[in-house]
Each structure stands twice: as structure tokens, then as C-alpha cells.
Amino acid sequence: MKTQEGSTPVAHTVVTFEDTFWAPRLRTLREQTLPFIYAQMQQDGHFSNFHEQWQPGRSPTPYVFWESDLSKWIEAASYSLATHPDPHLEALVDEGVAFLVALQQPDGYLNLWFTRFEPEKRWTNLRDWHELYCAGHLIEAAVAHFQATGKRTLLDAACRYADYIATVFGAEEGKRRGYCGHEEIELALVKLYHVTGEPRYLRLCQYFVEERGRQPHYFDIEARARGEDPAAFWARTYEYNQSHRPVREQNEVVGHAVRAMYLYSALADLARELHDDSLSRTCERLWRHLTSRRLYVTGGLGSSAANEGLTADYDLPNAAAYAETCAAIGLVLWNHRLLQLETDHRYADLLERALYNGVLSALALDGKAFFYENPLESRGDHHRSPWFRCACCPPNIARLLASLGQYVYGVNESEVMVHLYVQSTSSLSVAGQKVAFRQETRYPWEGLVRLHLEMEQPAEFALNLRIPGWCRQARLDVNGEELPIEQYVRKGYARIARRWQSGDTITLDLPMPVERVYAHPDLVEDNGRVALQRGPLVYCLEGADNDVPLHRIRLASDAELESHFEPDLLGGVAVIEGQASALETADWDDTLYRTTPPERRAHRLVAIPYYAWDQRAPGEMSVWIRQEEK
Amino acid sequence: MKTQEGSTPVAHTVVTFEDTFWAPRLRTLREQTLPFIYAQMQQDGHFSNFHEQWQPGRSPTPYVFWESDLSKWIEAASYSLATHPDPHLEALVDEGVAFLVALQQPDGYLNLWFTRFEPEKRWTNLRDWHELYCAGHLIEAAVAHFQATGKRTLLDAACRYADYIATVFGAEEGKRRGYCGHEEIELALVKLYHVTGEPRYLRLCQYFVEERGRQPHYFDIEARARGEDPAAFWARTYEYNQSHRPVREQNEVVGHAVRAMYLYSALADLARELHDDSLSRTCERLWRHLTSRRLYVTGGLGSSAANEGLTADYDLPNAAAYAETCAAIGLVLWNHRLLQLETDHRYADLLERALYNGVLSALALDGKAFFYENPLESRGDHHRSPWFRCACCPPNIARLLASLGQYVYGVNESEVMVHLYVQSTSSLSVAGQKVAFRQETRYPWEGLVRLHLEMEQPAEFALNLRIPGWCRQARLDVNGEELPIEQYVRKGYARIARRWQSGDTITLDLPMPVERVYAHPDLVEDNGRVALQRGPLVYCLEGADNDVPLHRIRLASDAELESHFEPDLLGGVAVIEGQASALETADWDDTLYRTTPPERRAHRLVAIPYYAWDQRAPGEMSVWIRQEEK
């Protein structure tokens, strides 16, 4: 049996969500979040005449990378227009596009800050000033905008800009051997290559990736040219931007978490485009390091606010977690690319973990408030905010969710991969014809999935169904006939190669018992604690459901935990309940230390999905629950 | 039965230590620590010609309060000279005294910094610049020096200085209504009152205490006079120096921990001298708050380096504990004064807890290295240092230990209080004659104490023997006849009033089983953990004795723990051993999270007294041990 290998994601427009989980969220995204973000950007002067009038010293001071928020919003809005045409939204997009395009200089340069405010500083500090990062988001916006609307305005400007960039940077004599301190343009150039078919964009991406971390170090040279001591770099180490060594020599996930995820995404892109095994192996090493040492159970990453990033192995504090929304989004982007290289459920599992937990937590149910940091514990003082001066996260989650359809299926010549389960309809091209897929499921609340196929003619192809790592007793049948699933599974996908015909129905049952998750003994903060997980969802305790301080709660290791759906709670969630105990304080009076252990009283523990926290009365939250052995 | 009420401490010279615990330490103090501290002060230019030559910008920059280190050293050395004459040490003391006395100005002012460097700034910033604090230590040194040597040089200078201070500060018209940001002079003035018999020094102390925290706030007035905005105070709140409200209105232990302890010591002094119940009640409120909410089990206090002090109730982090040596010393000073007000074992228990744990930990066995902070957990990177630029702690622990004898007994007209147990001989005046006391005991390693009395004539007096709070099964006999102890104990002291005669022997047995100590459930860091204690000693785990990372160790709640003495370990210590387990990591491979709990393997747990840690190979330390319920 030929193995499935990689696949190409479907266009996000292919999947029509008909479920009660994502479909309402995507409607909120379209109807609330996208206009809301646009209004926020206008209000704090992200673009338009604020920038024409702004002078140094005036408030709010723009960030050098504010332009990228607009680009990400155009990208997100374009994805939305592609599935849900909306003249009002399209008018806003046109306005944003016109604003950006008008900035383009005769030589092709296109950057807000270094055109309006500091033109003399163009290309003088790639290390800190996000100049090529902004170019990257502009390009991603241009590609999405063209694909959604067929309009070439922004795409042409982006191509001219990319062509100009290629005249400035490169390994050739006379060019600067620079690359961006914040990776992003690398990803964008691969997309530009795909949409234009121009290999020069792929080559420019390759140059940026290959040059990174080489000696003599570009950021040293550049700092000296500015009259600065390179050693005075505020972040103290080039690990911060993953330029501490050439990319193929990187073995550990380090530095700023978003930058790391974007770089690794570019490595996976290039590995696929160039069939470069050394880059695949680099990704594999970094993936193992991240997932075995530095990843939160929510799919969040980045333990420290100091570098917005990674620290040391097993250093994963809960309350102090940075776990930036954009880093979890970056993890989705990277794992989606790894999944294209190799159909292995590990990547889809991690994508799903990040998506349903560390990413989704960032967005309020009403679509108009966001987390920047996503800690795993709170004393009740961490809340979503309508906006941030550094507003990278809101438009980033918007572009991810607006294009969510692309993550559901992958295809290659003769195979279809089902990566995510969601009630939906889709029409995929496989084996030379269109095949309609209809998923019937209550996922993520229940694990039963019925997949119905419709097609003109019977067709020979292989269907690969992901068996999530969290599921240990999956059952599979085709048209009512059970298949011995273990004979079909490879790397976590059940592959059914046969001649399919209209009306075929595949039933996949993925039981979702409540699971206790234990952390490695050296993850000190989670020592003696468990996290609760059900299906793809990580749970947490919240003060609103538990009337004692959360640190007093003890869950016995043999306590039964049950789950039931609460349709009116937090947009409809399955809660987990179980009998636990709470340490008693009434008999302590003024005692701080004593020689008898605390008494316990019964406590009915209630946990909700982590993504849904902080949407009731402010209060404590904790993912990791103290467990007592019996 | 008349109750014992308060007592006066004996002079430290009265007690001759003959034990194997303190006696060798006091010898090391005399022979090593005192000369060593003097040499360190000379080396980094604390006094002598360094100060004559020092100019702003030169290194090391003196602290404004460096002079106080010399004063504290003179005080410590004087205590030592009083019990162990030493011409070489006396010559050094004379040198230090001459240096200080030569600084005195015609008006009586005596301060190094504001004479040599910034005379124009005299009395311009009592809030921050320790000017009266330095005066306090000068006075304490003067009192000790006079008592030890009979020399009046420093005492006369101190009296002139105090008299001058009284012309500057006071409630009377024309005087400044100031007081020091760092309390200390208050204590010193009470001592000066005692040694001189001059009530004006007590009145000055009373003024400083009464004025503190009144409105209009002196530190506001003073800041405005410097042209500063009072609200710009770097510490942000007058809680920092306990001047946030008048002292009698203070209900919570707040701010800089050493300052708090020194102020409360002065409150206790004044309560006793003035028979002021409102001050006793204030002390009692503050004592309850400290001991029920903000005290480490080691007798350390101060949770944060930011304010070198107290933070919030139950906020007692272990690794990040500040627990400054001087704060634990201050706790000894305060509780010693409370014990003088009222013979209650709570005060002696706390004095003992701080002394044997949070204070003693600060001093290396060789007497030549010191902790400034005394955390309850370490990853192996916290070590004693031979010196600090801010060197308050080394001479402070020296003066405490050099005068240790004063803490052993208290007396009043017809009663003797035995506060501490230690193999020693003493001669006390009670009931009109000298009574020789000889304690035979292996305390703190064993709890059996035999007290032998010798005297010229039989005498009627009450002997009050402290029954420590950690002991629940004390036994007592007199001349072989057991007494029903519960009938004799009041506030933790067994009072035996009778006609005593030579040869009388009291046997007190204080069994010392290994005890598990539990913290209040809201002390989150210690949740699910136990500390081990035996007698007055708190124990800790150290990497040197336990070959696994300490966070992996689990102690079962029913595990037997035994103790035995190791004469060759760390100067001779009783270690605690017991069967525990350690979480296994070998089977985790690259797994960070999994659904099965960690396996355990057997681990023989070994604990040593906390005070003795960090004297072998650098490694982890932890007081609080993770416990599992059975």
C-alpha cells in the first residue's frame, strides 16, 4: 500500500461550516470582529489622515509596525469576502488598499513609517524595526485580496515592492546581506510565488532563510554602521530573533515565540518547495524540542514577557505564562505546513490543540475583546481587552479564523486527508472529478463523525481519516461494516483506499472520555497536579463555578468525572463535573503553621473549556488542578 | 498564685556557655568573625583614610550609612570584650572609637557622611538618608563600649550628640517635627536612658515614636523643602517606613521588614518604661498579624526584595523569599522585649525559632561568610558571601550572638525565668542573694535539661521554666519527684515557687520527635507540602544528601521519620531520615504531557537543619517537602 505522504490544503472557500461551534463564531467574526477591528485602527490612528498629521511627540505614538495590522486586517477581510461577499466590508477593504498603495514610492518601496516619518532611516535597522516584516504582511494581504476579489491593485504593488526588495537584498555582489529581525516575509514570498508562479519570489525567500545567522553577522555590521556597539543589543542575544546560528544548525526552540514559529513555518515551506530534507530534519528537531520541553498543554508557548518568548526546558509557569496569542497562531501555521509535508496526526493534533485552546481563548464570545497573553492560571486580574497599542493579535486571529476552512482537508492526486472534524459541506477535486463531502458531527462536543460522499461517477481514491492522539478507542465503519481500524492506521490516519461511490457513508467514532493529563515530573509548577481534557479541549476551573479559592481544591486520583452539555452556558459548552474536596480553613483561626494537616470538606468541582474563561464575573482560573493520591 | 508577669534580662556576661552548639560558635565569632569583619570594613574603605580621600565618582561609593556598620561592630566587639578580654581586639575597638569621636562637630553633631561629604545636606532628608539611624547605632555602640570597658569616650560623645539631636527635633515650638525613615535611634535612646539614668533620652525616644505618621506628614514637608513632590517618593507608600499612620493606629505589619521590627521593639520598650497599655496592645495586634499571616516557618520575614519587606497576607514565596538576616535579628529583638513585658512562651518560642533558623542560617560555620537573604528554597545558586557593599547583616549577627547570654534568663524581684536551654553556668541575683545555675543538656539536639542550683542560704523564689510550644509531652521533676506539669504551667512557663536550697536539681524533659509542619491552606506555595521540625530546628532537604532533583521527592504522610546525630557532619548535626519516593522520569522520553501519572521509585530522604545548608557542594535546597496522602 502506497503511503499517503503529504498533501495540499484545500482553499478555505471549499468548506462551508454548518456546525454550532465554528459557524456562529465565523458569523460573529464577519459581522462584529472585522468591522470592530477596522474601527479600532481608525480610532487610534493606524492609518488615514492621522498619519498625515502625526508628529513625533504626539500621542498615541504609532508603532513602526502599525501598518502590518492594517495588512493583516485586509487579509482577514479578503478571506471573509471570498466566502461571504459584503459590499460594505469590501468598501472598507478598498479604502485600506488605497491607503497602502498610495504609499508606494517610485522605486517600488512601500512602507508607512519609513516613508512618512523617517525616510532617511530606510533599511538601517532590520534587527529591530520590522521593515521586511511589514512587507511580508503586505504581500500576504495582497495575495488574499487578489484571490478573494480578483483585483490586482495590491498584488501588483506587492510584486513591485518584492522586486525592489530583491534588488536591495541578496547574496549577489553589491547587495546587502540582510534579513528581517522579525521573520514573516519568508512565508509571504512563498505565497507570492504560488499566486504569481514567479520562482524569483521563492528564491528571495530562500535567500532570507539561508542567510539568517551566518557570519559575519548582518546585525553586527548594521549596528556598527549606525555607530552602535553590536554587543549593546537590548535583547542581549541573537537567539531572540533566531539568528544566533544558521537555521540548519538550530536544535532548540529559542527566543521570541512568534518569530520562531514564523521562521519554522518558512523552513517547512521551503522543505516542501525545494524537497530539502535538511530543512525537514531541522523542523523535526525543533518540533521535538518544543513539544517535549517548552510547550504549554494549551498549545501556548513563550514562558516569559521579558523576551515574549522561550526560556529554559520545563520552565512553564502558569500564572506568569506569556503564551502570546500570535505564538499559538504561529504554531498552527507551522504545523499546518508540516502536515503538508507529511500526513502525520502529531502535526494535526498539535494544530488542533493550539486552535481550540491557546488560540481560541484569545477571542471573546462577542468577537470584540482579545487576550494578548493566555496564561494558564489567574487570580482574577487578567481580562480580554478591546484593543492594544501593539495590536498584532486581534487581526491575526481574525485572519486565521476567516481562513479556517483550509485546515479541514488536504488533497493530493489520489488521496483526501480529513484533518479536522466539523459539521460541514465541501466539494473537493480528487481522482479527476468533484466529490462532495458532508460531515455530520457534534464535534468538538461529541466524537461521532459521519462522512457522506456524493459524486457523479464512482472514483478510486484513498480517504485518510485522522485518528486524534487523544483518542485510544476509535471505531470505524464504511456503509455499516466495521473495519479493523488498527490495520488501516498509519501515523495516526486511517487510510481507506477503494472505489467510492455516491451515498457511501463512513462512520468514525472517537470516544471522548474525560482524561487527566499529567506533566513531566520536571515541570515543577504542574507537579502533583492534573489538567482535564476531553477530546481536543483542555479544561480549567473558574471561580464563577467553584465557590472556594481554587488552590484549596483537591481532586482525588480515583474520583469519577462526568461531562454534560450545557446549551445556555458560554455559548454552549460541555462542562466537566466531579466530586472533589476543598481544604478547610475555618479551624485555622490565627494559625499559620501547625502539626496537623488541613481538614477537607466536600467540593463539587466544575470545569469549563479553557477557551471560554473570563466571560463571567472576574475571578480565579486554573488549568492545573491539585490532585491527591488515594 | 501570683503570676510571673515580666522580667528583666540578665547581662549577657552572666551566662557562660559550655555546650557543643553555641560555645564553639561564639569562639569562632570572637576569633574569626570579629577580626574578619573589621578587616573587610578597612578593605572596602568603611572608615579611616579612605573616607578622607574619597571623592564622588570614585569606587567603591560609600553608602550614606556605612558608619553604622562600624558602630555595630564596636558594639559586637564590646560585648565580646566583656566576656573575653582581648588586648588586640580592644586596640581595634579603640581605633574605631577614635575614628568616630574625631568626627564630632562643635555643636555635638556626629555623622560621617554629612560631615565629610555633604555638610550642607544635614537633616534635609530623614526619609531616605539614615542620619538618625546612624546616630542610633552610634549610641548602642557607646552603651556597649562603656559597659564592657568602663571607658566613657564614646558614651560622652553619644550623649552630646543625643543632646544636640534633642535641640533639633521635638514637638516644642521652633524644633523640627522629624523622625528617621529607618527606625533604630528609638531603641538606642532607651538603652542610653538606662545606662545614664537620664529621662530626657527616654522622652526623646517617646517623641520620635509618638510623632511618627502624624499629619501634616514630616516627610511631605521635608520633600517639599527639597523642591520635590512628596508623591514622587520612590517607595510609593509611607508603609515602607511605617509612617503611614500614627503607631497606635497600625494594625498590620507592613513595609521594610527590618524597619518594622526595630519600630516594634521600640514600642515594646516604651510600653514597659511608660506602662502604656495602648502600646502593648499595638504590639499584640502587630504580633498576631505577623505570626498568623506573614511569617516564614524559619522565623524569617519579608517576602519581597522590591521593598525588602512585607507584601500581602499569605504571600510567602520560598525561592524568592527575601527574609533578610537583619529582619530575623529584629524579630529576636522585638520578642525579647515582649518577653520582658510578659512571660509568655509564645515570645520566647518565636525568639528561639528565629535564632536557630532564620538568623543562624546567615552565618557560615567558619564565621567568615554571610547570607543577606535567607530563602527557603534554592536551585543551588544562592551562597553566603564574605561581604556586601550594603553590609548591615554581618555586624548585626555579630552583635546579636556576642550578647547571646542575655537571652537565656530573665529575673524580677522574686522570680527567675529560664527562657532558653543551653549547657551553661550562670550566677543570678534573686531574692537578695546570688544563686548559681548550672544547666546540663544536649539542647538543641536532645530535650533533656537538668538544672542544678547552688546558693549560700536557702531562698524563696519562683523558678519559671519555659515549656516550648513545639513540645507537647514535657515532664518535670524536682529532686527526683515528678510534678504534675499541667498544674504548674501558665502561658507556657512551668512556675515552681518554693524555698530552694543548694543541691536542688530540676529535671525537665522536652521530647523532640520529628514533627511535620503544615502551612495554612491559603499559603499557596506550601500547599500539599510539609516542613520537618525537631525541637527548635527547622529542617531542609539539600542536594548533597538527596541524589534526585528535590521537586521529584514525595514523602508519604505515614512514612516513619527518624533522627540521629552525625558528629562529623557540618559541625555535628542531628539528621532526619525516612523512606520516601521520587518521581521517575526515565519512562517519559520525549513526552511532556501524558495521561498516566508518573511512576515512583524508592528514595531515602535525608534532611539537615536549615541553618546548616549551603556548606557543601552547591546544590538545591528546599524546606517544604511535597507530601502525598495515603
Side-chain angles (χ1 to χ4, degrees), chain A residues 54-81:
Chain A
W54 184 82
Q55 297 296 333
R58 264 192 68 187
S59 176
T61 303
Y63 270 113
V64 72
F65 49 80
W66 263 13
E67 167 200 325
S68 66
D69 299 333
L70 175 57
S71 295
K72 279 192 284 192
W73 179 86
I74 292 173
E75 184 187 345
S78 297
Y79 293 141
S80 180
L81 291 177

Coordinates of all heavy atoms in Angstrom, one line a residue, chain A residues 54-81:
Chain A
W54 N 0.3 63.2 12.1 CA 1.1 62.9 13.3 C 2.5 63.4 13.3 O 3.1 63.5 12.2 CB 1.1 61.4 13.5 CG 1.8 61.0 14.8 CD1 1.2 60.9 16.0 CD2 3.1 60.6 15.0 NE1 2.1 60.6 16.9 CE2 3.3 60.3 16.3 CE3 4.2 60.4 14.1 CZ2 4.5 60.0 16.9 CZ3 5.4 60.1 14.6 CH2 5.6 59.8 16.0
Q55 N 2.9 64.0 14.4 CA 4.2 64.5 14.6 C 4.8 63.8 15.8 O 4.1 63.5 16.7 CB 4.2 66.0 14.9 CG 3.7 66.8 13.7 CD 4.5 66.8 12.5 OE1 5.7 66.5 12.5 NE2 3.8 66.9 11.3
P56 N 6.2 63.5 15.7 CA 6.8 63.0 16.9 C 6.4 63.8 18.2 O 6.4 65.0 18.2 CB 8.3 63.1 16.6 CG 8.4 63.0 15.1 CD 7.1 63.7 14.6
G57 N 6.1 63.0 19.3 CA 5.7 63.7 20.5 C 4.2 63.7 20.7 O 3.8 63.7 21.8
R58 N 3.5 63.6 19.6 CA 2.0 63.5 19.7 C 1.6 62.1 20.2 O 2.3 61.1 20.0 CB 1.3 63.7 18.4 CG 0.9 65.2 18.2 CD -0.1 65.3 17.0 NE -1.3 64.6 17.2 CZ -2.2 64.5 16.2 NH1 -2.0 64.9 15.0 NH2 -3.4 63.8 16.5
S59 N 0.5 62.0 20.8 CA 0.0 60.7 21.3 C -1.2 60.3 20.5 O -2.0 61.1 20.1 CB -0.4 60.9 22.8 OG -0.9 59.7 23.3
P60 N -1.5 59.0 20.3 CA -0.6 57.9 20.6 C 0.5 57.8 19.6 O 0.3 58.1 18.4 CB -1.5 56.7 20.4 CG -2.5 57.1 19.4 CD -2.7 58.6 19.6
T61 N 1.7 57.4 20.1 CA 2.8 57.3 19.2 C 2.6 56.0 18.4 O 2.4 54.9 18.9 CB 4.1 57.1 20.0 OG1 4.3 58.3 20.8 CG2 5.3 57.0 19.0
P62 N 2.7 56.1 17.0 CA 2.5 54.8 16.3 C 3.7 53.9 16.5 O 4.8 54.3 16.8 CB 2.5 55.3 14.8 CG 2.4 56.8 14.9 CD 2.9 57.2 16.2
Y63 N 3.4 52.6 16.4 CA 4.5 51.7 16.3 C 5.0 51.6 14.9 O 4.2 51.9 13.9 CB 4.0 50.3 16.7 CG 4.1 50.0 18.2 CD1 3.0 49.8 18.9 CD2 5.4 49.8 18.8 CE1 3.1 49.5 20.3 CE2 5.5 49.5 20.1 CZ 4.3 49.4 20.9 OH 4.4 49.1 22.2
V64 N 6.3 51.3 14.8 CA 6.9 51.2 13.5 C 6.2 50.2 12.6 O 6.3 50.2 11.4 CB 8.4 51.0 13.7 CG1 8.7 49.6 14.1 CG2 9.2 51.3 12.4
F65 N 5.5 49.3 13.3 CA 4.9 48.2 12.5 C 3.3 48.3 12.5 O 2.7 47.3 12.2 CB 5.3 46.8 13.1 CG 5.1 46.7 14.6 CD1 3.9 46.5 15.2 CD2 6.2 46.9 15.4 CE1 3.7 46.4 16.5 CE2 6.1 46.8 16.8 CZ 4.8 46.6 17.4
W66 N 2.8 49.4 12.8 CA 1.3 49.6 12.8 C 0.7 49.2 11.4 O -0.4 48.7 11.4 CB 0.9 51.0 13.1 CG 0.6 51.2 14.6 CD1 0.8 50.3 15.6 CD2 -0.1 52.3 15.2 NE1 0.4 50.8 16.8 CE2 -0.2 52.0 16.6 CE3 -0.5 53.5 14.7 CZ2 -0.7 52.9 17.5 CZ3 -1.1 54.4 15.6 CH2 -1.2 54.1 17.0
E67 N 1.4 49.5 10.4 CA 0.9 49.2 9.0 C 0.6 47.7 8.9 O -0.4 47.4 8.2 CB 2.1 49.6 8.1 CG 1.9 49.1 6.7 CD 3.3 49.2 6.0 OE1 4.1 50.1 6.3 OE2 3.5 48.3 5.2
S68 N 1.3 46.9 9.6 CA 1.1 45.4 9.4 C -0.3 45.0 10.0 O -0.9 44.1 9.5 CB 2.2 44.6 10.1 OG 2.2 44.8 11.5
D69 N -0.8 45.8 10.9 CA -2.1 45.5 11.5 C -3.2 45.7 10.4 O -4.1 44.9 10.2 CB -2.5 46.4 12.7 CG -1.5 46.2 13.8 OD1 -0.9 45.0 13.9 OD2 -1.3 47.1 14.6
L70 N -3.0 46.8 9.6 CA -3.9 47.0 8.5 C -3.8 45.9 7.5 O -4.8 45.4 7.0 CB -3.6 48.4 7.9 CG -4.4 48.8 6.7 CD1 -5.9 48.7 6.9 CD2 -4.0 50.2 6.2
S71 N -2.6 45.5 7.2 CA -2.4 44.5 6.2 C -3.0 43.2 6.6 O -3.7 42.5 5.8 CB -0.9 44.2 5.9 OG -0.3 45.4 5.4
K72 N -2.9 42.8 7.9 CA -3.5 41.6 8.4 C -5.0 41.7 8.3 O -5.7 40.7 8.1 CB -3.0 41.3 9.8 CG -1.6 40.6 9.8 CD -1.2 40.1 11.2 CE -0.8 41.1 12.1 NZ -0.2 40.6 13.4
W73 N -5.5 42.9 8.6 CA -6.9 43.1 8.6 C -7.4 42.9 7.1 O -8.5 42.3 6.9 CB -7.3 44.4 9.1 CG -8.8 44.6 9.1 CD1 -9.7 44.2 10.0 CD2 -9.6 45.2 8.0 NE1 -11.0 44.6 9.6 CE2 -10.9 45.2 8.3 CE3 -9.2 45.8 6.8 CZ2 -11.9 45.7 7.5 CZ3 -10.2 46.3 5.9 CH2 -11.6 46.2 6.3
I74 N -6.7 43.5 6.2 CA -7.1 43.3 4.7 C -7.1 41.8 4.4 O -8.0 41.3 3.7 CB -6.2 44.1 3.8 CG1 -6.4 45.6 4.0 CG2 -6.4 43.8 2.4 CD1 -5.4 46.6 3.3
E75 N -6.1 41.1 4.8 CA -6.0 39.7 4.6 C -7.2 39.0 5.1 O -7.9 38.2 4.4 CB -4.7 39.1 5.1 CG -4.5 37.7 4.8 CD -3.3 37.1 5.5 OE1 -2.4 37.8 6.1 OE2 -3.2 35.8 5.6
A76 N -7.5 39.3 6.4 CA -8.7 38.6 7.0 C -10.0 39.0 6.3 O -10.8 38.1 6.1 CB -8.7 39.1 8.5
A77 N -10.2 40.2 6.0 CA -11.4 40.7 5.4 C -11.5 40.1 4.0 O -12.6 39.7 3.6 CB -11.4 42.2 5.4
S78 N -10.4 39.9 3.3 CA -10.4 39.3 2.0 C -10.9 37.9 2.1 O -11.7 37.4 1.3 CB -9.1 39.4 1.3 OG -8.7 40.8 1.2
Y79 N -10.4 37.1 3.1 CA -10.8 35.7 3.2 C -12.3 35.7 3.4 O -13.0 34.8 2.9 CB -10.1 35.1 4.5 CG -8.7 34.9 4.3 CD1 -7.8 35.1 5.4 CD2 -8.1 34.4 3.1 CE1 -6.4 34.9 5.3 CE2 -6.7 34.2 3.0 CZ -5.9 34.4 4.1 OH -4.6 34.2 4.0
S80 N -12.8 36.7 4.2 CA -14.3 36.7 4.5 C -15.1 37.0 3.2 O -16.1 36.4 3.0 CB -14.5 37.7 5.6 OG -15.9 37.8 5.9
L81 N -14.6 38.0 2.5 CA -15.3 38.4 1.2 C -15.3 37.2 0.3 O -16.3 37.0 -0.5 CB -14.5 39.5 0.6 CG -14.6 40.9 1.3 CD1 -13.8 41.9 0.6 CD2 -16.1 41.3 1.4

